[in-house]
Structures are given as structure tokens and as C-alpha cells.
Amino acid sequence: MSSDKVHTAPEVVADSADDKRDIAQVERVMSGNTELEKDHINYDRIDDELAKYAHATRVEISEEENRRLKKLIDRRVLPVMIFTYFLQALDKGTMSFASIMGLRKDVPALMENSKFAWLTTCIYIAVLIVEYPTNWAIQRVPIAKYLSLNIILWSTTLALHAACKSFPAFVAIRTLLGIFEAVCQPTFLVLSSMWYKRSEQAQIVTWWYMMNGGQQIVGGLLAYCFTLISKVPNSPLSPWQAIFMTYGIISFFWGIFVLFWLPDSPMRAKCFSEEDKALMVERVRSNQTGLQNKTFRAYQIKEALSDPQTWCYCLIQICTTLPTSGLGGFSQIVISGFKFSTLETQLLAMVLGVVIIITLLGSTWIVNKTGQNLLTMGLFVIPSFIGTIVLMTVRNTSKANQAGLLLSYYIVLSFWAAQTLGMSMLTRNIGGQTKKTVCVAANFIAWATGNAIGPQVFLSRDAPRYFIAFSTHMGCYVLLVIVIAFLRWNLMARNKAKDRLAAQVADANDEHLVHAFDDLTDKENPNFRYVY
């Protein structure tokens, strides 16, 4: 039997005029040439390492046992994702804090907003270049070791920021930082889908992604502490140099810890018993998005690029990261533009972190309660419209207006919920390892594109109200709502078509999830259902 035989299964689409032909084709593919192919895992398609632990059919795991296994995973894997992402967010946010800690005075070229913006943009241009090679490597190399190597490299690069004295030097070092940090988010999406069930992934992605807010809180407090260095007579380091070096050294030792602590996969986790490893594999069987597969399947690239779902997730990232990167990179400058002192600006940035955390936790709580991902995303875009309109129309002429503008700036960030939930939907709705690699790469290319453009719309001549920037953000929110509405309609239609198919073709009901690890894509697996 050909190892790629299953990919001839029909794509299940809504309102197809060829239902009978699709039904016949599903019966042929799911049945195969023998009963053996129908009732057993297709070992020609399953990963060799995974095959040693995957049972032939679904193994029922009790709720008590499931909770025990999840606790083991949470203790080993989740803290690494959370703290690593916290360090990366802290590293990226350092430039924003450094901007009001003497950096722009020591490097006069950075007094121009256009040049300062390039220190953020160049990171994401680097990500654009290396994103697909990084995702290709993630599918094929020991993922934990690859992550730890990149942490060590980016921490060294971060510490070297302290030695930079010119604009070209900063651009060069920031570009290297982007190359090494590009591994973080796609790795965490893969780890989230590898270790956790679909029902858990939205919460897991939120846990590590909300460290963007955590770094605002801790970063603001630490930035204030490092500012005190300027008061020390004859200090050999400027506050901004000290903060870069400190964060770099901490991240370096963390990278070494990750090397020894984080398992590459459930199958390679020497910290767990053989029985537990097998059960951890079975936990994620019901995801039907696969766990690990190093085989390259060219047809899955074509399916990924022709799937509207792929481009919807990309647009969600562009529409959310473009405002995020600008508001993040210029947060200190915008808030100080509301006529707050440096100390007040640093402390108010901490509140910004609290807003981000509340937004992400609140949106995840609603999703867990209602099961509505896309409606929740749309709901959390509404405050962003309101806040942006206020920022564009209200002048800072009194203390009341100052407080109102600051509050509006905070609530604008509610759209972050869409960014996080969009990422978690990608891990839950895309099946097939090659397809997932392409979709994740495309997602983060879009993510990097939005982040690269974001700071460029904050123009010096437009300060302090930044009409051009906030008008651009409004356009992003409008497009985001349109994409959310289309994606919800599309995924609902796909599920209905699959339900109709399952009602007419017995073989389309893989109740024992025999083919869950056969590296099928979401479209070619008739038993797969989308979350929306």
C-alpha cells in the first residue's frame, strides 16, 4: 500500500454538488483493499517513534487518571513555556523601557521616532526570513534541545546590546535577536498540541501568551529599579546597559536549565514511566491533529495554501500584531505624551500589563464556559473600537481628559484576546504535520509582518496624538471583524458537510480513533470536527 494513499480522500466542503461521488470515495479510502487497512493504524504513515507507544485503537482513560497525567505534564512542560515566554517578552519589551532610561540620549540618532521604530521592525524582518526554516527544523529535530540552544543564543545577543553605541550596531544586534527568538512561539504551539488535549489548548496558550502582560508589570518595576543606577556617582554602566546585561545573563542560565529539564516529546520523556508515556500519547489521540511525524508530504503543502482557514489565521495575526507592536514599542512614549513624568509612565505601564492579563484570562474563561471562540474574539474587539475613537477625538486639556485618555489606551488592548484565541484555534483545527508546519510558518510570517509594520505608523510629525497610527488601527479592527465572521461561517459549513457525510457513510465514523495518528489532514479525515 502506498504510504500516502490516504491523501486521496475527498475534501469535505459545504454544499457540494457531488455528494454521491464523495460518499463512494470515502467508502473506498476508509475501507482500503483489505479489512486490515480499515481496522488498524496505517503503520506506513505513522511516525516510527510514536508507533512504539500508540495503541491500535483508542484507550479509555478515566477522569482521575487524566487529571494525574495532566498534573505531571503541567509540572514538567508548562512552567518552561510560561517562564521562557516571559523572558522573551521581557527581552523584547526592554527596548521600550530603555527608550526613557537614557538610551536615546546616549545614541542621539534614536531620538528620531523613525529610526527608533526600526529597532523593533528589524526584529520582525529577521523573523520573516527565518520563520519557515525554523518551522521545518522544529518538525525534524529534538524540539526541546533546539529551543534551549536558541534561548542561549538570544540571551547572549541581548547582553551584547550593552556594548552598542550607534544606530547601525543596534540594528545589527536586534536583527540577530529576531533570528534566535523566532523559534519561541511556533515551538510553544507545537508543544501545546503535542502534550495537551484540544479542550485544554486554549487555556494553555493563554497561560504562556499572557506573559506579555506579566513582563509589563515586572518590567515596569525593574525598569524603575535600574533607573536608580543613574543616581550612583561614577557608575560604569548606564541604566539601559545594566538592564540589557542583567536580562541576558538570567536568560542564558535559563536556557541551560531548559536543555536538561524539558523532554523533546512524550515518547522521549525519560522523567516519566513507560506506562505513563503510553497514556500521555493516548490522551491526545482524540485531538486527531497528530502528535509527531517527520515525513514530508508535498500534497499537504498544497492543501495548506489552498485552505481559506490558513489565510484567515494569517489575517487575524496581521490585524492584531500591527496595533500590538506599535502600542507596545511606543507605550512609554505615548503614555509620557499624556504629560506624565518618567516615574509615572513606568508605573502606569505596569497597569497596562494587568489589563492584558485580565483580557486574556477573561476571554479564555468565556470560551471555556460557552465553547464560542470566534464570537468571544469579536466581543473583545468592541472595546478596541471605543478606546481608539476616544484617543482620536479627545484632546488632553485637563486632568479628567488625561485620565480618560489613559483609560482609553488601556481598553484598546482588549483585541489581544483575538490574537491568542486565533493561535490556539490553529493548533486545534489543523491536522497533518506537514500542513501544520506550513500553516504555523505562514501564521508567524503574518505575525512578523504585522509586528514589522506596526511601529512604522507612529510618525514623529504625528506626535503626540498619532492620528495616522490610530486610523490604521481602526482599519485593522474592521478587517478583523470581517475575517472572524467569515471564518465562523466557513467552519460551521464544513462541520455540517462532514455530519451529512457521516450520516450516509458508516466508514466515516472512526469511533475508536484508529486513524488519529495516521498523519491525516483535517480535510481528509472525515471524523475531524472544527472548533469555532
Side-chain angles (χ1 to χ4, degrees), residues 398-509:
S398 65
K399 279 290 182 183
N401 285 0
Q402 184 187 41
L405 288 168
L406 182 64
L407 179 62
S408 298
Y409 185 75
Y410 288 154
I411 68 172
V412 161
L413 293 172
S414 65
F415 69 84
W416 272 44
Q419 187 175 127
T420 310
L421 291 174
M423 285 187 184
S424 73
M425 284 184 66
L426 188 154
T427 67
R428 290 176 286 165
N429 279 343
I430 302 294
Q433 289 303 305
T434 302
K435 180 178 181 181
K436 185 179 291 186
T437 297
V438 174
C439 289
V440 171
N443 186 77
F444 283 107
I445 287 172
W447 176 86
T449 300
N451 275 301
I453 297 171
Q456 300 298 326
V457 299
F458 281 84
L459 306 175
S460 297
R461 68 175 184 272
D462 204 27
R465 299 185 70 187
Y466 298 105
F467 283 114
I468 294 174
F470 290 122
S471 297
T472 305
H473 294 180
M474 283 291 284
C476 288
Y477 305 145
V478 171
L479 179 58
L480 179 59
V481 170
I482 294 171
V483 171
I484 289 171
F486 170 79
L487 185 57
R488 178 177 166 81
W489 168 81
N490 184 260
L491 296 181
M492 288 177 66
R494 293 191 196 192
N495 279 353
K496 288 177 181 177
K498 289 196 175 200
D499 289 341
R500 288 197 303 270
L501 194 64
Q504 299 174 65
V505 183
D507 289 326
N509 292 290

Side-chain angles (χ1 to χ4, degrees), residues 509-526:
N509 292 290
D510 185 10
E511 294 179 0
H512 299 292
L513 303 181
V514 173
H515 301 287
F517 294 130
D518 285 3
D519 199 28
L520 303 176
T521 68
D522 51 283
K523 284 189 175 182
E524 66 186 348
N525 183 352

Side-chain angles (χ1 to χ4, degrees), residues 242-280:
I243 201 169
F244 277 122
M245 288 186 66
T246 302
Y247 290 172
I249 292 168
I250 292 172
S251 299
F252 180 85
F253 286 107
W254 178 252
I256 294 174
F257 171 77
V258 171
L259 179 64
F260 293 99
W261 181 260
L262 182 66
D264 290 308
S265 68
M267 297 78 72
R268 291 191 177 191
K270 296 179 180 179
C271 52
F272 302 131
S273 68
E274 291 297 302
E275 293 79 9
D276 281 347
K277 286 194 280 187
L279 289 173
M280 287 173 183

Side-chain angles (χ1 to χ4, degrees), residues 380-401:
F380 274 78
V381 178
I382 295 173
S384 299
F385 278 108
I386 297 171
T388 304
I389 290 170
V390 172
L391 289 172
M392 293 178 68
T393 56
V394 176
R395 291 182 175 275
N396 188 8
T397 56
S398 65
K399 279 290 182 183
N401 285 0

